[in-house]
Amino acid sequence: GAQRSADANVVYQQLLKHQDQLKAGASFQFDDYEELFSPVPAQRMDLGRTERMPGVFAEYSRNRERFTLVAGVRADYNTLYGEAISPRLHLKYDLGPLTSLRFSGGSGFRSANPIVETPAAQASARQVVIEGDLDFERSWNTGVSFLHKFKWFGKKWSFALDAYRTDFTAQVVADMDRDPQQLVFYMLDGTSYANSVLTDLQVQLGKQVEMKASYRWYDARTTYSGELRERPLVPSHRGLVDLGYTSKDAHWR
């Protein structure tokens, strides 16, 4: 496999009243893929392709004392997969000097490279089957984030809570359960989503010692051959505890 890429952007930026800002521009993305896959010596699959994607975009930022808004949209046309319209909205509101609430929503898209993105499945010597023409992966994303900083027992604390959801309207599915001897790729026919909740707690235990503790719950489900199931090999629960020490002269961390 080999990939050659080039991109160009031109951006116009203008300051408006109250420090508001407007950005607009155009972009061009070029990707050339050479990909040959030989699951067995007698078989060779040519998965090479060339994508050219011109696009235009605009973004408006509005800043007030406690409120920030960023709204944008971009329109792209891919020579293989057609058009893609991507709106996006970000909102931030400061509930207090040390507390903020954020919301984000919008859509996204990407080109998938299924062989490269499933290396673990290749080790099983399954027969690779690609059903139909593959297309863009497209999704809608929404999320909220809460951050609060406070003092407790004479220590500085920080608590964050993030909750996000992604709904796929188009997705390249890697199905390993239809047949134990096959790895089948096809476009999604049904529902596919991912929910994520992350909690993060930080405390400054001393001038030189800091502790962080995080927990993430993840629920990812995709429709495989008409049945909505959990996505394999995706852990539902993840945790992390991190202790940091910095020397007084900041030469050691």
Side-chain angles (χ1 to χ4, degrees):
Q3 177 182 351
R4 302 171 186 87
S5 298
D7 68 272
N9 290 274
V10 56
V11 181
Y12 171 78
Q13 180 173 319
Q14 180 180 352
L15 288 176
L16 306 174
K17 291 182 179 180
H18 309 292
Q19 297 300 310
D20 294 352
Q21 191 176 91
L22 177 66
K23 293 181 181 179
S27 64
F28 182 80
Q29 177 74 32
F30 172 85
D31 291 296
D32 180 60
Y33 298 89
E34 289 183 14
E35 188 175 16
L36 293 174
F37 179 63
S38 300
V40 293
Q43 180 184 1
R44 171 178 277 196
M45 301 170 62
D46 187 353
L47 303 175
R49 68 185 192 275
T50 300
E51 299 180 28
R52 298 174 179 85
M53 189 165 63
V56 293
F57 56 89
E59 179 183 280
Y60 170 70
S61 300
R62 181 183 179 92
N63 295 284
R64 294 299 181 265
E65 184 177 353
R66 288 191 172 190
F67 178 73
T68 301
L69 176 148
V70 179
V73 63
R74 64 174 301 124
D76 297 275
Y77 180 79
N78 187 286
T79 52
L80 287 184
Y81 304 127
E83 75 283 347
I85 308 297
S86 311
R88 171 65 65 178
L89 176 67
H90 295 273
L91 302 173
K92 177 191 174 188
Y93 183 74
D94 294 327
L95 300 173
L98 300 176
T99 307
S100 62
L101 182 67
R102 290 179 171 88
F103 167 83
S104 65
S107 68
F109 65 93
R110 76 175 193 116
S111 299
N113 294 288
I115 299 295
V116 176
E117 293 166 9
T118 55
Q122 311 300 330
S124 62
R126 293 170 180 254
Q127 178 189 2
V128 175
V129 178
I130 299 179
E131 293 186 348
D133 295 328
L134 303 185
D135 202 346
F136 265 151
E137 291 192 321
R138 304 172 190 255
S139 66
W140 285 92
N141 315 280
T142 54
V144 293
S145 175
F146 174 79
L147 174 64
H148 178 57
K149 297 179 180 180
F150 58 98
K151 272 195 171 184
W152 193 35
F153 291 111
K155 310 294 183 184
K156 292 182 179 180
W157 296 73
S158 173
F159 173 75
L161 176 65
D162 299 332
Y164 290 92
R165 179 180 174 92
T166 299
D167 286 286
F168 289 92
T169 57
Q171 186 180 29
V172 177
V173 177
D175 193 339
M176 294 186 288
D177 293 326
R178 177 188 295 182
D179 187 315
Q181 304 299 322
Q182 291 184 341
L183 170 62
V184 186
F185 294 106
Y186 51 82
M187 293 305 297
L188 174 71
D189 182 13
T191 301
S192 181
Y193 65 84
N195 294 317
S196 172
V197 177
L198 171 68
T199 59
D200 183 80
L201 184 66
Q202 301 184 26
V203 56
Q204 195 76 33
L205 296 176
K207 292 183 178 180
Q208 300 163 248
V209 181
E210 183 182 62
M211 185 190 75
K212 302 177 185 179
S214 300
Y215 165 76
R216 181 190 292 274
W217 173 74
Y218 201 64
D219 177 33
R221 298 177 186 269
T222 299
T223 300
Y224 297 94
S225 300
E227 182 181 353
L228 182 64
R229 299 201 309 265
E230 287 188 23
R231 201 170 303 166
L233 307 178
V234 178
S236 298
H237 306 279
R238 311 179 190 190
L240 172 70
V241 176
D242 179 274
L243 290 173
Y245 170 81
T246 304
S247 63
K248 291 183 178 180
D249 57 10
H251 289 173
W252 295 90
R253 294 173 183 257

